[in-house]
Amino acid sequence: MTDLLLQAAQVLRQAQRIVCLTGAGVSAESGVATFRDALTGLWSNFDPEQLASEAGFAANPGLVWRWYMERLQTVERVQPNPGHTALAQLEATAPHFVLFTQNVDDLHERAGSRNVHHLHGSITRFCCTSCREEHYLQADERRQPLPPHCLYCNGLVRPAVVWFGEMLPYAILKEAWYAVEHCDLLLVVGTSGVVYPAAQLPFTAKQYGATVIDINPEPTPISEMADLYLPGRSGEILPQVIEAMVGGGD
Ligand code: BJW
Ligand code: ZN
């Protein structure tokens, strides 16, 4: 066990209020592609603005719909990995723990995490672009080349996720700001730290006095400012850190 892992375990053991911020990297080892990883990333063949924006959806609803249906199928097929499980164990042992994820998958919940908030919405939910009414997706609608129409106003149905240029859910974002301003430890896992406002949260945590730990195989703006940067895959590092945290003394 390296010094870095032991240090992280010790900081986690001593923390009273832990906040965790996750990104696509935490689900990578489950088989969910990340956004910006050059070779395997979901957007290696597409312009992100084209797929994840209201303008992109309006310009090509079929392309965006099929992209989300394919991703939904992947999310439903895959399983949480040891990184998700370790975070659920951490929640079970920590005095106060809250997790904010940028991911639209439900792998944290399926791994047993309870206090989870989705900053960028959920890929398993749908709503109308016009009246915002929730739409319950039918099996045959998933296979169609175009999105279904709203039962109430005939508007186009879209995934209930947050696209570029859209506001994050206000209550969740407010809770995230409060949490990072009042925590003593922020654990950041698997995010490139380039999409705002989520990318600002670690900087605010640090500004308010929290220790910041970052786990990522690649350095990011967050790893550069973090107190502890653990380079590596979260599915390998998190279980070791949590095991050392639970097993270690004071
Ligand atoms: C591993 C690993 C392993 C691999 N283990 N790790 C301030 C400055 C500049 C711009 C802005 C700003 N404030 C707002 C903006 C505009 C914009 C923005 O941030 N643009 C930037 C790109 C510059 N933000 C917005 O528009 C946001 N809304 C907003 O601010 O509203 C107010 C407003 C409105 C109008 C005008 C102005 C302000 C909304 C952002 C919504 C983001 N939505 C998406 C799509 C969600 C739906 C979907 O999933 O399809 O969210 S974009 C995409 O990026 C997705 C992700 O949640 C998000 C973050 O990506 P993430 O998770 O970091 O993934 P990757 O792929 O980037 O990184 C993966 C990482 O994992 C890598 O580092 C790997 O190394 C690592 N990794 N394997 C651990 N095994
Ligand atoms: Zn409608």
Side-chain angles (χ1 to χ4, degrees), residues 23-25 28-29 34-37 43 52 67-68 71 102-104 120 161-168 190-197 215-218 220 232-234:
E29 288 155 81
T34 66
F35 292 92
R36 289 170 193 82
D37 290 351
W43 291 343
W67 184 57
Y68 276 97
R71 289 174 58 204
Q102 296 168 82
N103 299 344
V104 296
H120 294 161
V161 300
V162 181
W163 282 332
F164 284 117
E166 295 181 330
M167 305 295 284
L168 277 65
T191 181
S192 57
V194 296
V195 175
Y196 287 84
I215 300 178
N216 195 314
E218 302 295 333
T220 70
R233 290 146 62 102
S234 48

Side-chain angles (χ1 to χ4, degrees), residues 122-153:
S122 166
I123 199 169
T124 59
R125 299 183 72 174
F126 297 85
C127 65
C128 172
T129 43
S130 301
C131 72
R132 296 281 153 180
E133 195 66 40
E134 182 152 15
H135 179 90
Y136 297 95
L137 199 64
Q138 305 300 308
D140 64 313
E141 293 172 339
R142 298 168 67 128
R143 294 186 287 270
Q144 299 302 317
L146 289 167
H149 288 270
C150 172
L151 299 172
Y152 303 96
C153 78

Side-chain angles (χ1 to χ4, degrees), residues 5 97 124 156 172 200 215-216:
L5 288 175
F97 180 93
T124 59
L156 277 185
I172 294 175
Q200 185 60 38
I215 300 178
N216 195 314

Side-chain angles (χ1 to χ4, degrees), residues 84-85 87-92 97-100 106-118 175:
H84 295 108
T85 307
L87 290 174
Q89 283 173 330
L90 178 59
E91 177 175 352
F97 180 93
V98 58
L99 190 155
F100 295 90
D106 58 357
L107 293 174
H108 285 302
E109 289 90 340
R110 282 160 56 193
S113 288
R114 291 287 164 260
N115 202 5
V116 181
H117 301 282
H118 288 263
E175 195 161 336

